[in-house]
Amino acid sequence: MTSPHIENPYLLLTPGPLSTTRSVKEVMLRDWCTWDDDYNQGVVQVIRRTLVGLATRAKGYTSVLMQGSGTFAVEALVGTAIARDDKLLVLANGAYGRRVARIAQVLAIDHAVIDSGERDPPDPNQVDKALAEDPAITHVAMVHGETSTGMLNPIATVGEVVRRRGRIFIVDAMSTFGGIPFDLDELGIDFLVSSANKCIQGVPGFGFVLARQHTLAACEGRARSLSLDLFDQWRAMEEEAGKWRFTSPTHTVRAFAQALVELEEEGGVVKRGERYRENHRVLVDGMERLGFRCFLSEAHRSPIITTFHDPDTSTYVFTRFYADLKRKGFVIYPGKVTGANTFRIGTIGHVYPNDIRSLIAAIEDSISW
Ligand SMILES: *Cc1c(COP(=O)(O)O)cnc(C)c1O
């Protein structure tokens, strides 16, 4: 495996866009016609089928791709899945959960929010109670990996409640899909949304939704936007064999197809997940040895990204720490929690435990404050 350092001046230890392989970047060196079968059948349809295969072993699921960053796909999903007199319950515990609520607000979708705070996961019993008390709620949305803190939220226990209560379950698994194994059907997930530049290790440019086919098929005419009409996009892809309604990010899409091949070559989601877990373990062990403290308790952390408290020293300045590590070949991420001074280090992408060991050595060398 070649070191990403050969291709890039520094490794991206961020939640995406992230470090990708040279081979993913190389397949972008040709142009594609969006009306041609080479692209629609040979690339788009293969991606759509492969995504469904990664998502579940069950029948009855479909996928749809949508131009834009991940948030565009979230907005397309929320705006298309929820009918005029439906109501959405959002479980939030960070910036991405709050963003789902904000989308509902902007689209004038009736919604309620349960915010469990940035250090705690949502409580399934509270969700159960909310659903029992408010029969108007038709959909429940939550984030799997809350990338703003690194929290891994309990989609299995919440999903069990949502299914038992007969509601539609929407999961923003943007930062976990392809990096943490789970089965949509087993967890009762009706809609899942993710994007090209996270754990599949593609480059940015589009998002995708995995959906229970009959649930998506019922969404015709609901969208609050023309370009972000997920149903219409899906119908075009179904009826015209992989055709996007409007210009698709062809090079990004081709790179994503290569990234899916490389995921398979690595041994699938299980193996990739093991590598990310090992990256995370090496990171936390090394950082704790250097005296850094994690923001979240161990039980809530994900292998995707980890939030650390700033060191307790008056001479520490994030921008200086950042610039110093960047010079040494590592780009880290600023913090995104409220009420605590933190920074984040991502452990996904074309990044290996030895890269994390090198990072720890670089940090040890940097902290002479
Ligand atoms: C990355 C991410 C998104 C989408 O962010 P974009 O900047 O729009 O790509 C949404 N939710 C979560 C949890 C994410 O990690």
Side-chain angles (χ1 to χ4, degrees), residues 28 131 143 263 277:
M28 291 189 283
L131 295 180
V143 177
L263 172 60
R277 274 212 308 279

Side-chain angles (χ1 to χ4, degrees), residues 15-16 69-72 74 96 99 143-148 172-175 195 197-198:
S69 86
T71 304
F72 291 63
V74 177
Y96 291 101
R99 187 176 294 175
V143 177
H144 187 207
E146 181 41 86
T147 318
S148 56
D172 171 353
M174 199 72 63
S175 64
S195 77
N197 61 274
K198 305 261 173 146

Side-chain angles (χ1 to χ4, degrees), residues 5-78:
H5 295 86
I6 296 167
E7 306 159 11
N8 290 315
Y10 37 77
L11 199 59
L12 303 183
L13 299 174
T14 62
L18 30 72
S19 294
T20 58
T21 61
R22 171 180 283 273
S23 36
V24 160
K25 291 184 277 279
E26 269 170 1
V27 297
M28 291 189 283
L29 291 172
R30 69 158 276 193
D31 306 305
W32 297 85
C33 173
T34 55
W35 280 94
D36 197 281
D37 271 354
D38 288 347
Y39 179 66
N40 287 325
Q41 289 285 3
V43 181
V44 179
Q45 293 294 69
V46 173
I47 287 173
R48 293 183 62 218
R49 277 196 301 276
T50 306
L51 286 175
V52 173
L54 288 178
T56 182
R57 283 193 300 270
K59 293 257 177 289
Y61 280 82
T62 187
S63 70
V64 50
L65 317 180
M66 180 57 84
Q67 296 93 332
S69 86
T71 304
F72 291 63
V74 177
E75 185 158 354
L77 171 56
V78 170

